[in-house]
Amino acid sequence: MFTPNKTYSPYVSPFDPCKPIKIKSYSTPPHLYIGFQPNNFPQFTPMEALRAGTLWKPLYDPYYNPRELAKGGKTS
């Protein structure tokens, strides 16, 4: 199943002097979930494609800072 953001729980040592990070997250690019280019793949207009950095709508993957999302920042 395609989920762009994944999380995991790293090992937390009882002897670590720093405050532990209990949950870490990372992003996966959408092209990992598309095996081949299907017919009639949705496209951006040329101006939208220049802004998005890709011609293909399913391959568009904007970056959202996790700290900004936690503060209630931009989500879409």
Side-chain angles (χ1 to χ4, degrees):
M1 185 160 106
F2 172 67
T3 56
N5 297 317
K6 298 185 176 22
T7 60
Y8 67 97
S9 299
Y11 172 74
V12 177
S13 172
F15 305 109
D16 192 355
C18 300
K19 181 179 175 184
I21 299 174
K22 302 212 183 218
I23 296 177
K24 292 190 176 189
S25 64
Y26 61 98
S27 175
T28 55
H31 74 275
L32 294 177
Y33 306 99
I34 300 172
F36 59 92
Q37 182 178 332
N39 292 335
N40 300 321
F41 214 44
Q43 295 182 0
F44 285 115
T45 63
M47 284 307 289
E48 289 174 328
L50 286 172
R51 288 188 187 108
T54 182
L55 179 60
W56 314 108
K57 287 184 180 184
L59 295 179
Y60 178 62
D61 184 27
Y63 173 77
Y64 298 113
N65 186 336
R67 292 181 184 160
E68 292 296 321
L69 290 176
K71 290 186 215 173
K74 188 175 181 181
T75 58
S76 63

